[in-house]
């Protein structure tokens, strides 16, 4: 079983290039199957969730040609099945985007119920509400979601909760429905805009993505296009907080600074300086870290996907901080691991009260989920001594070459798969 071993204590300094956004790319890959012409997608992150979805797309019969690690050509004209249920697809959340895409194109889809990180209850009632409003029957049986429609028609849909997944899924299906659809209370994340832009480059007619009302005029069919995925705001934010926590100085390149505003603003609050360039941000952390209050919210609020990373910084910040997690109820699991490293945190329901401590000390911890795992690596980089992070397959779902990128910044980290390798690493780095 792969693990990371980290020797903490080095300030991370240098430049890092951010990969394409995983959560945008997942929607974009699903959208690609809706055309009967070739779609070329570029700037894909080479991470596990993306590769699983590409395999699932090939399995339903689409022609898939990998150009290189970051680009793929997909042609949906050869699809011969509307059923996606391979054993891997159930492990990723975004399998559900194939429902919207296949339902839109073939008026029928059967997909295994989605998996993904265990960060709390993750209902899909809003996706189902949207599909039903478009005229589809939806059944859940034998672990599958089965949808079918004689005809998909435009509709007015109010989402009861702001949901990234439901917004993208309904947008996908409504693109090929007859007539006009309005999605109210839509999510506004950059990846929603990216998926809408991609669909529009394929001939869709979607307006308003990025606001809470999205208007879609159904079109008869979609055509091929070439599209490059936006940079990953959460990967960028993770490196920005790695600079903060290790008292480093990192130029985070290939980003859209506007997408990082909530993250940048919290870095200012805790005492870091942030310089913004056209497509880069530099985070410098050379003073002491100070406490702040955080509440996770849908975009443009502070992202839940950055909550563990800011938690790791606040546990080293002078004073008392609070974090209110308002999106997923089970996203404080990393706190127990962090306490093994010396943090002083009390969790009550969806609120964490954090008393800053002077330093972390290395321990053996568990990644638990994607963002928790990345946050614990950062904690290890700031800690005194050695930290071992188990279950890094979670991290590999969403961070491309995490340890290589960190090493380039001066981190002492290695992926190991045995106790012998851990001993070797310890002897090597002293
Ligand atoms: C997406 O998950 C991301 N995943 C998550 O990324 C991210 O944490 C989340 O959005 C919030 O930003 C992908 O894009 C693949 P939601 P999603 O629907 O779409 C409730 C990461 O680390 N809800 O926006 O599943 C839900 O319980 C991850 O990369 C309903 O009640 O999230 C939650 O409280 C993990 N009914 C809130 O809405 C529904 O039908 C937001 O969930 C759908 C959601």
């Amino acid at each position: 079983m792969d693990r990371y071993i980290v020797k903490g204590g080095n300030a991370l300094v240098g430049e890092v290039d951010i990969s394409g956004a995983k959560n945008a790319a997942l929607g974009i890959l699903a959208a690609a199957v809706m055309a009967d012409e070739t779609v070329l997608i570029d700037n894909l992150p080479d991470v596990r969730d993306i590769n699983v979805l590409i395999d699932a797309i090939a399995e339903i019969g689409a022609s898939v040609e990998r150009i290189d690690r970051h680009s793929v050509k997909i042609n949906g004209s050869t699809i011969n099945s509307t059923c996606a249920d391979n054993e891997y697809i159930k492990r990723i959340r975004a399998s559900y985007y194939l429902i919207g895409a296949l339902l839109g194109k073939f008026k029928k889809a059967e997909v295994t119920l989605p998996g993904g990180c265990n960060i709390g209850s993750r209902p899909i009632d809003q996706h189902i509400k949207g599909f039903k409003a478009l005229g589809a029957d939806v059944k859940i049986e034998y672990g599958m979601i089965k949808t079918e429609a004689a005809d998909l028609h435009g509709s007015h849909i109010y989402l009861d909760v702001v949901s990234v997944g439901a917004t993208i899924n309904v947008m996908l299906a409504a693109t090929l429905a007859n007539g006009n659809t309005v999605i109210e209370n839509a999510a506004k994340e950059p990846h929603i805009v990216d998926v809408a832009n991609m669909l529009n480059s394929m001939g869709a007619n979607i307006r308003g993505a990025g606001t809470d009302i999205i208007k879609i005029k159904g079109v008869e069919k979609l055509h091929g296009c070439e599209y490059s995925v936006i940079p990953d705001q959460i990967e960028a934010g993770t490196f920005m907080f790695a600079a903060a926590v290790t008292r480093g100085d990192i130029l985070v390149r290939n980003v859209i600074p506007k997408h990082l505003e909530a993250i940048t603003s919290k870095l200012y609050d805790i005492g870091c300086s942030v310089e913004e360039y056209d497509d880069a941000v530099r985070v410098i952390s050379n003073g002491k870290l100070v406490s702040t209050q955080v509440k996770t919210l849908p975009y443009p609020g502070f992202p839940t996907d950055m909550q563990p990373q800011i938690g790791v910084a606040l546990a080293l910040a002078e004073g008392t901080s609070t974090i209110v997690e308002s999106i997923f109820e089970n996203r404080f699991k990393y706190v127990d691991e962090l306490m093994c490293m010396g943090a002083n945190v009390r969790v009550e329901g969806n609120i964490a009260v954090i008393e800053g401590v002077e330093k972390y000390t290395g321990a053996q911890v568990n990644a638990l989920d994607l963002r928790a795992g990345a946050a614990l690596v950062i904690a290890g980089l700031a800690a005194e001594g050695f930290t071992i992070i188990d279950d890094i397959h979670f991290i590999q779902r969403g961070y491309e070459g995490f340890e290589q990128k960190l090493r380039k910044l001066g981190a002492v980290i290695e992926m190991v798969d045995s106790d012998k390798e851990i001993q070797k690493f310890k002897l090597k780095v002293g």
Side-chain angles (χ1 to χ4, degrees):
M1 186 65 86
D2 286 340
R3 308 150 145 188
Y4 284 138
I5 177 153
V6 171
K7 184 177 182 213
N10 284 8
L12 297 195
V13 177
E15 299 179 357
V16 63
D17 288 316
I18 296 306
S19 302
K22 166 185 79 90
N23 289 345
L26 292 165
I28 284 170
L29 284 167
V33 308
M34 296 174 75
D36 280 338
E37 292 174 9
T38 299
V39 171
L40 170 64
I41 308 168
D42 191 18
N43 202 33
L44 286 168
D46 183 10
V47 296
R48 207 166 277 180
D49 279 17
I50 293 296
N51 296 327
V52 167
L53 186 57
I54 292 176
D55 286 350
I57 287 172
E59 244 179 60
I60 56 171
S63 110
V64 171
E65 185 192 338
R66 285 309 285 247
I67 312 294
D68 56 39
R69 280 177 71 199
H70 300 119
S71 39
V72 67
K73 277 185 184 168
I74 292 176
N75 188 315
S77 63
T78 51
I79 291 177
N80 51 31
S81 166
T82 52
C83 175
D85 71 343
N86 80 30
E87 71 168 295
Y88 299 109
I89 192 89
K90 52 180 87 135
R91 298 196 197 145
I92 68 167
R93 188 80 198 147
S95 52
Y96 57 35
Y97 291 146
L98 288 178
I99 310 170
L102 295 174
L103 179 66
K105 184 171 182 178
F106 298 107
K107 316 300 168 227
K108 190 170 183 235
E110 286 183 30
V111 177
T112 307
L113 277 166
C117 283
N118 177 14
I119 50 181
S121 149
R122 299 182 77 177
I124 53 164
D125 55 303
Q126 298 305 305
H127 304 236
I128 294 172
K129 174 178 171 175
F131 296 146
K132 284 188 172 164
L134 296 174
D137 279 333
V138 185
K139 278 192 294 198
I140 297 191
E141 49 185 31
Y142 306 109
M144 308 278 289
I145 311 174
K146 301 182 177 180
T147 65
E148 194 160 3
D151 174 41
L152 280 187
H153 52 75
S155 182
H156 196 115
I157 299 156
Y158 181 89
L159 296 178
D160 302 323
V161 291
V162 179
S163 159
V164 170
T167 303
I168 291 182
N169 232 342
V170 175
M171 200 163 73
L172 287 166
T175 289
L176 290 177
N178 288 319
N180 299 337
T181 295
V182 177
I183 307 174
E184 273 200 72
N185 200 27
K188 297 184 279 203
E189 270 69 2
H191 24 297
I192 309 280
V193 180
D194 211 30
V195 177
N197 285 343
M198 152 79 170
L199 285 164
N200 283 341
S201 341
M202 294 169 74
N205 186 338
I206 302 173
R207 284 178 300 130
T211 74
D212 51 16
I213 301 183
I214 299 181
K215 295 184 176 161
I216 303 156
K217 256 190 199 160
V219 295
E220 245 173 54
K221 62 179 183 162
L222 297 172
H223 53 70
C225 75
E226 292 185 6
Y227 198 81
S228 186
V229 178
I230 53 165
D232 197 306
Q233 107 213 69
I234 305 301
E235 187 197 12
T238 303
F239 281 100
M240 291 164 81
F241 271 91
V245 173
T246 64
R247 311 298 154 94
D249 178 348
I250 303 182
L251 183 70
V252 183
R253 296 194 307 203
N254 182 32
V255 297
I256 299 172
K258 172 99 191 114
H259 295 168
L260 301 169
E261 276 172 357
I263 296 165
T264 303
S265 139
K266 281 295 153 198
L267 284 164
Y268 283 131
D269 288 356
I270 65 171
C272 297
S273 42
V274 184
E275 294 169 6
E276 282 187 14
Y277 303 94
D278 284 350
D279 62 354
V281 289
R282 179 178 172 196
V283 180
I284 306 162
S285 170
N286 51 15
K288 64 174 183 209
L289 297 178
V290 292
S291 59
T292 191
Q293 321 307 321
V294 183
K295 181 174 185 181
T296 61
L297 288 167
Y299 189 83
F302 190 85
T304 174
D305 293 348
M306 284 299 303
Q307 189 261 101
Q309 299 88 317
I310 196 170
V312 163
L314 295 180
L316 288 180
E318 193 174 279
T320 307
S321 301
T322 55
I323 301 180
V324 179
E325 171 55 64
S326 70
I327 312 287
F328 291 113
E329 77 266 21
N330 208 5
R331 241 185 169 168
F332 282 130
K333 285 183 304 178
Y334 70 94
V335 162
D336 283 344
E337 308 296 306
L338 205 55
M339 299 219 304
C340 294
M341 300 178 69
N344 180 358
V345 186
R346 200 175 67 247
V347 175
E348 282 169 16
N350 69 335
I351 301 176
V353 181
I354 305 172
E355 299 293 342
V357 294
E358 283 274 304
K359 60 169 189 198
Y360 292 131
T361 47
Q364 180 155 0
V365 294
N366 205 310
L368 297 167
D369 69 57
L370 168 59
R371 308 303 171 187
L376 290 167
V377 171
I378 294 174
L381 291 169
E384 212 171 84
F386 293 98
T387 298
I388 294 167
I389 298 103
D390 287 327
D391 281 342
I392 61 167
H393 58 93
F394 282 114
I395 301 174
Q396 291 162 340
R397 295 178 74 140
Y399 288 89
E400 177 176 325
F402 197 42
E403 71 274 19
Q404 286 95 330
K405 289 186 185 185
L406 287 168
R407 266 201 299 269
K408 245 187 90 192
L409 295 166
V412 183
I413 177 170
E414 210 156 284
M415 190 158 74
V416 290
D417 68 1
S418 67
D419 289 344
K420 205 165 142 201
E421 286 186 18
I422 291 178
Q423 291 315 325
K424 247 168 71 185
F425 175 86
K426 286 185 173 170
L427 282 175
K428 189 170 83 185
V429 302

